Amino acid sequence: MKFGSSFCTLNVGGRRFPFSVELMKHLPLSRLSRLYRCVSESELLELCDDYDRDRNEFFFDRHSEAFSFIMLYLQHGKLRFVPHMCELSFYNEMLYWGLESADLQLCCQRRLDERLSDCFVHFFPEEEPQEPEEAPDHWLERMRRTFEEPTSSVAAQILASVSVLFVLISMVMLCASTLPEWKAAETLDEHRIIEAVCIGWFTAECIVRFIVSRDKCEFVRRPLNIIDLLAITPYYISVTATVLTGENSQLQRAGVTLRVLRIMRIFWVIKLARHFLGLQTLGLTLRRCYREMVMLLVFIFVAMAIFSALAQLLEGGNQDYTSIPAASWWVIISMTTVGYGDMYPVTVAGRVLGGICVVSGIVLLALPITFIYHSFVQCYHELKVRSVRCIRSSSTDFID
């Protein structure tokens, strides 16, 4: 927006904060950077409560002391809670201005996690408004919601049920095709027909969803759509190879690559994530907790390196512990308390080391679980709230 001068004033809860317009452009507060990009006064009023054009002053009915602490964070790079202010209220102010819990100091992050867990409350950051687009055709929007949002209407629920049915049928046929009894010629032909029907459904569904999608590039980049492509493509590659080389050719008989492509159809089961909230929660949790997962793997790797070296040293006369890589297998099954029994220590020192290894594995595996658990609960409630909002929005559109 073309501001009246090079300086402006933010009036937050009656307290004025002077800013240069250029500074607003580069601030890591998404609300203020969006304020800078506004092109009309109506857009300004969507981000602030009032605007005085004469004084170039923006009014926000928010907590002034919380905003002053946020300004200190921008100056010094450290963000802590306001004394004598509820952690949840301050976190709500952070989300309003465009900050996240990761911006807090570690001690304050722990306080916030404990408070969220005790109160069982979850805040969701405001989504960035998209650029104004031309209104899509009504039937295209209805089609998109039918295919993309299984809870948006009765037709969408029926379509999702049919899609799940095809996924289950294809998975059963894929597993049954590996049985010796299913390799007869008659059974093989029936299997191919059912497989072709399932692939035809998946292909048609993917094409329709691509046609009615708003952003084609965004559609291609989505993980679930990439999985759909990985699940469908091997079938067409196998059919093409059969047509070009012949069904009984040497390439087909020794075609390890084609067998790998056939097994890649196991990705069909991941298509269920499009229709089940639990699988979506699992995927979102893994994406948000990748740091904790990496930390867990590092813990296991370090412990495995230490215990495998000690086991190889103490059990040098045991043929199962001839090398550190061989001892690593014993360490990993001991730390995870699996204990297949295929290899075990025979010396007293080796057994003591085995006990320490088991106890250490329990402790190391339990350390990151708390973070992952809290993230899983938060992701589940976030997706559940979004699902409820989608159902209410669809009901409103249906009534209108």
Side-chain angles (χ1 to χ4, degrees):
M1 179 178 177
K2 295 181 180 179
F3 296 96
S5 64
S6 58
F7 287 89
C8 62
T9 303
L10 300 184
N11 190 318
V12 181
R15 185 175 175 180
R16 290 184 170 87
F17 298 86
F19 278 92
S20 67
V21 176
E22 191 65 23
L23 178 61
M24 287 181 59
K25 179 181 178 181
H26 300 287
L27 281 177
L29 304 180
S30 61
R31 182 169 292 271
L32 296 185
S33 60
R34 284 155 51 192
L35 196 70
Y36 176 84
R37 296 194 300 266
C38 290
V39 296
S40 64
E41 190 167 338
S42 60
E43 292 185 15
L44 284 175
L45 295 178
E46 293 179 1
L47 299 173
C48 62
D49 297 304
D50 200 1
Y51 172 61
D52 188 342
R53 179 179 294 273
D54 296 333
R55 293 186 297 180
N56 203 25
E57 185 171 358
F58 303 90
F59 295 87
F60 296 90
D61 189 13
R62 308 298 299 188
H63 199 285
S64 59
E65 191 173 2
F67 185 74
S68 64
F69 268 66
I70 293 176
M71 295 308 301
L72 290 176
Y73 162 68
L74 298 179
Q75 295 175 7
H76 305 289
K78 293 183 180 180
L79 180 60
R80 293 185 174 88
F81 286 125
V82 177
H84 311 297
M85 181 178 180
C86 175
E87 292 87 351
L88 300 182
S89 299
F90 185 78
Y91 185 42
N92 191 26
E93 294 292 323
M94 289 173 53
L95 294 178
Y96 177 83
W97 295 108
L99 297 178
E100 299 179 356
S101 59
D103 297 310
L104 286 167
Q105 293 291 294
L106 291 178
C107 57
C108 295
Q109 288 186 28
R110 288 194 291 269
R111 284 176 54 189
L112 178 62
D113 291 339
E114 293 174 359
R115 192 62 186 272
L116 289 174
S117 178
D118 294 339
C119 299
F120 212 66
V121 176
H122 301 285
F123 296 93
F124 310 121
E126 298 183 357
E127 297 181 355
E128 290 276 347
Q130 298 180 350
E131 296 295 328
E133 301 175 352
E134 295 182 359
D137 293 338
H138 185 66
W139 72 272
L140 280 177
E141 182 64 18
R142 293 286 295 272
M143 285 282 291
R144 186 196 66 80
R145 299 189 67 175
T146 300
F147 278 86
E148 295 287 350
E149 302 171 4
T151 59
S152 61
S153 64
V154 177
Q157 294 176 1
I158 295 175
L159 185 66
S161 301
V162 174
S163 182
V164 170
L165 180 62
F166 272 104
V167 170
L168 296 178
I169 292 175
S170 62
M171 290 305 304
V172 170
M173 297 304 297
L174 177 62
C175 297
S177 64
T178 59
L179 296 174
E181 297 81 3
W182 281 67
K183 295 184 179 180
E186 299 81 4
T187 308
L188 195 59
D189 293 336
E190 295 176 358
H191 172 258
R192 287 176 177 174
I193 294 174
I194 297 176
E195 185 181 30
V197 172
C198 294
I199 288 292
W201 170 267
F202 296 147
T203 305
E205 181 185 13
C206 190
I207 291 174
V208 172
R209 289 175 49 249
F210 177 76
I211 293 175
V212 301
S213 62
R214 294 174 179 173
D215 189 346
K216 302 298 187 292
C217 295
E218 179 65 23
F219 178 88
V220 175
R221 289 195 297 264
R222 289 178 183 173
L224 285 179
N225 296 330
I226 295 175
I227 292 172
D228 288 345
L229 187 62
L230 292 176
I232 295 172
T233 304
Y235 174 81
Y236 291 104
I237 296 177
S238 301
V239 171
T240 304
T242 302
V243 172
L244 295 178
T245 63
E247 187 172 355
N248 297 320
S249 66
Q250 184 177 0
L251 177 62
Q252 286 288 87
R253 291 195 298 270
V256 178
T257 303
L258 295 180
R259 290 199 296 271
V260 172
L261 290 175
R262 180 177 292 272
I263 293 300
M264 280 181 62
R265 297 174 198 172
I266 199 69
F267 284 118
W268 285 338
V269 74
I270 306 180
K271 288 171 64 67
L272 296 176
R274 196 182 301 277
H275 311 291
F276 289 99
L277 188 64
L279 292 176
Q280 296 175 15
T281 305
L282 177 61
L284 186 59
T285 303
L286 292 177
R287 188 175 67 180
R288 292 185 177 180
C289 294
Y290 72 92
R291 292 187 180 88
E292 287 77 9
M293 300 298 293
V294 171
M295 180 174 61
L296 177 61
L297 294 177
V298 170
F299 287 167
I300 295 176
F301 178 79
V302 172
M304 187 171 61
I306 295 174
F307 285 113
S308 59
L310 293 177
Q312 196 272 336
L313 176 64
L314 298 177
E315 296 288 329
N318 194 334
Q319 295 182 353
D320 294 332
Y321 297 84
T322 56
S323 64
I324 291 180
S328 298
W329 168 248
W330 170 79
V331 171
I332 193 66
I333 62 177
S334 299
M335 291 184 64
T336 55
T337 66
V338 175
Y340 289 117
D342 54 344
M343 52 190 301
Y344 50 87
V346 294
T347 64
V348 176
R351 291 175 179 176
V352 172
L353 179 66
I356 298 174
C357 179
V358 172
V359 175
S360 302
I362 295 174
V363 174
L364 292 178
L365 292 175
L367 287 177
I369 295 301
T370 303
F371 300 99
I372 299 175
Y373 165 74
H374 285 301
S375 180
F376 182 86
V377 173
Q378 183 173 354
C379 292
Y380 175 76
H381 284 277
E382 180 178 344
L383 292 177
K384 196 171 183 179
V385 168
R386 290 180 182 177
S387 178
V388 172
R389 288 174 181 173
C390 177
I391 295 175
R392 290 178 179 175
S393 176
S394 303
S395 302
T396 305
D397 294 342
F398 179 78
I399 294 174
D400 294 340

